[in-house]
Amino acid sequence: MSRLFLSPPDVGPRERELLLDAFDSNWIAPLGPHVDAFEREFADFVGVGHAAALSSGTAALHLALMLLGVGAGDDVLVPSLTFAATANAVTYVGARPVFVDSEWATWNLDPALVEEELAARFHEGREQPAAVIAVDLYGQCADYDPILKSCAAYGVPVIEDAAEALGATYHGRPAGSFGALNVFSFNGNKIITTSGGGMLAGDDPSPIERARHLSTQARDPAPHYEHSEIGFNYRMSNLLAALGRAQLEGLPAKVQRRREVNAAYRTAFTDRPDIGFLPNAPEGEPTNWLTVITLDDPTPVREHLASLDIEARPAWKPMHLQPVFADCPMRGGAVADEIFRRGLCLPSGSSMTDADVQRVVEAVRASLP
Ligand SMILES: Cc1ncc(COP(=O)(O)O)c(C=O)c1O
């Protein structure tokens, strides 16, 4: 039996066709017609005005922080329960992540703790954070109504890290349309992939235009190479944008399949009260990028699955428990701790067959008392 991966790429003939089109056109560069078209099609899909195609989601986070003027000495609120890239980007601009715990309803940034942190700073006369980054973990939107309300009240801009949530909605509105700037990833394990890539999106055209400038070495208009500020090599290549366009065409079907896989796991374990799930919150429709179960002790289950060539992975280790962020402040923490202790991500890819899901279900059952 072949190895079952957590979230492998799901590509087909359309990807091959557009990739070859890019290849044959000789636009083999970090610019070209597929880059322009991917940006336009992506912005339309997400319902934002503009998008800049970049080399990774991490690059998009870095530029988002720069474009909002976040810099040395600033604090940025970040959920502790996330992938390290969210917090790493804060340090790239010389700022400090201030971690906030999750809420049980979505496993995302707890809106009550965000309000608590901003109100405490206000009452103590301390400076507000330069930004709040909200992450849509495992394909589910954070609870944006209260988060945006608190941030607006204290004048703090929000960046949405929708790296895991392309295709999700919150009150009917697409993930990646809630922040002043919004970040997406097309890493190989994401819901759509360009092997590696990312997007920065927003309604205001000027930061997105500036992102294009900064991501191509900040070259000023001149016949020679003229630079008046520091730039980056962060632009997406035309070959990868071609791949991204084909993946975007297939996105609704991929989201649908991930939801079916999630529903199949839920149905299969209805008789097991010892198995919990990341809740599907009623405010929106998640993509179920990864199905995450909770168990008293996930380690023997993960090890048994590994022995059967089935990849499963612990939930994200919270940032406040990471040695590299040991000096950063943390508000709360019990929820993220427990999710890390009990969470296990199961194979969730959109190319999974019903038989694949059954294979995982049987393996999980066999490993439980
Ligand atoms: C929540 C989150 N933010 C940011 C990233 C970074 O994206 P990339 O790998 O494209 O740099 C990822 C995934 O890789 C992620 O899961």
Side-chain angles (χ1 to χ4, degrees), residues 15-355:
E15 280 75 7
R16 198 184 169 87
E17 184 189 342
L18 287 194
L19 198 49
L20 286 176
D21 176 78
F23 182 87
D24 292 340
S25 73
N26 209 33
W27 281 99
I28 300 175
L31 81 167
H34 285 291
V35 176
D36 299 341
F38 188 33
E39 290 179 342
R40 191 65 266 141
E41 289 157 8
F42 190 89
D44 288 348
F45 182 89
V46 176
V48 293
H50 306 274
L54 302 171
S55 55
S56 69
T58 307
L61 280 164
H62 184 187
L63 292 182
L65 289 158
M66 283 188 68
L67 291 163
L68 290 176
V70 183
D74 288 332
D75 282 348
V76 175
L77 300 199
V78 177
S80 181
L81 192 70
T82 184
F83 178 55
T86 317
N88 286 346
V90 173
T91 70
Y92 299 168
V93 295
R96 176 178 76 156
V98 172
F99 296 115
V100 177
D101 203 0
S102 296
E103 56 162 356
W104 279 114
T106 62
W107 292 11
N108 287 316
L109 203 55
D110 184 337
L113 293 182
V114 172
E115 172 62 30
E116 216 176 273
E117 174 74 25
L118 301 183
R121 286 172 182 250
F122 178 76
H123 291 302
E124 291 158 18
R126 284 191 291 139
E127 223 174 290
Q128 290 296 350
V132 169
I133 306 181
V135 179
D136 304 330
L137 216 60
Y138 298 121
Q140 174 156 262
C141 283
D143 191 3
Y144 282 106
D145 283 350
I147 293 171
L148 293 177
K149 192 167 165 218
S150 293
C151 290
Y154 296 99
V156 181
V158 174
I159 295 170
E160 181 179 356
D161 180 347
E164 303 176 2
L166 177 63
T169 59
Y170 174 83
H171 292 313
R173 206 171 126 184
S177 66
F178 292 93
L181 290 169
N182 305 284
V183 167
F184 300 86
S185 166
F186 312 122
N187 190 16
N189 65 359
K190 292 298 185 291
I191 200 148
I192 66 169
T193 184
T194 58
S195 74
M199 195 73 83
L200 182 69
D203 277 328
D204 184 353
S206 62
I208 302 302
E209 196 42 56
R210 231 180 106 57
R212 293 192 187 105
H213 174 68
L214 290 172
S215 64
T216 47
Q217 307 285 21
R219 186 179 172 195
D220 294 337
H224 57 275
Y225 280 84
E226 177 83 8
H227 303 276
S228 49
E229 62 186 323
I230 301 293
F232 304 87
N233 185 4
Y234 277 176
R235 198 76 163 120
M236 180 180 281
S237 107
N238 192 58
L239 288 176
L240 300 189
L243 198 52
R245 291 182 71 197
Q247 287 270 283
L248 190 62
E249 286 175 10
L251 177 64
K254 293 186 198 310
V255 170
Q256 176 60 26
R257 185 59 192 155
R258 289 202 191 234
R259 287 177 180 155
E260 286 166 6
V261 168
N262 182 269
Y265 281 133
R266 284 172 188 274
T267 306
F269 295 130
T270 41
D271 63 327
R272 298 292 315 216
D274 51 338
I275 301 181
F277 282 85
L278 160 61
N280 286 338
E283 288 80 11
E285 284 196 281
T287 59
N288 301 124
W289 171 57
L290 294 183
T291 289
V292 194
I293 59 170
T294 54
L295 299 154
D296 276 344
D297 183 6
T299 305
V301 179
R302 182 172 49 77
E303 286 172 353
H304 181 67
L305 295 185
S307 75
L308 298 172
D309 229 2
I310 299 171
E311 187 185 23
R313 196 189 293 157
W316 295 125
K317 180 172 181 180
M319 292 303 115
H320 73 280
L321 300 180
Q322 301 284 358
V324 71
F325 293 120
D327 294 338
C328 295
M330 171 74 195
R331 185 170 282 274
V335 177
D337 286 3
E338 189 171 335
I339 291 169
F340 173 55
R341 193 166 47 77
R342 306 190 60 213
L344 187 69
C345 306
L346 297 180
S348 307
S350 49
S351 51
M352 280 183 89
T353 64
D354 292 350

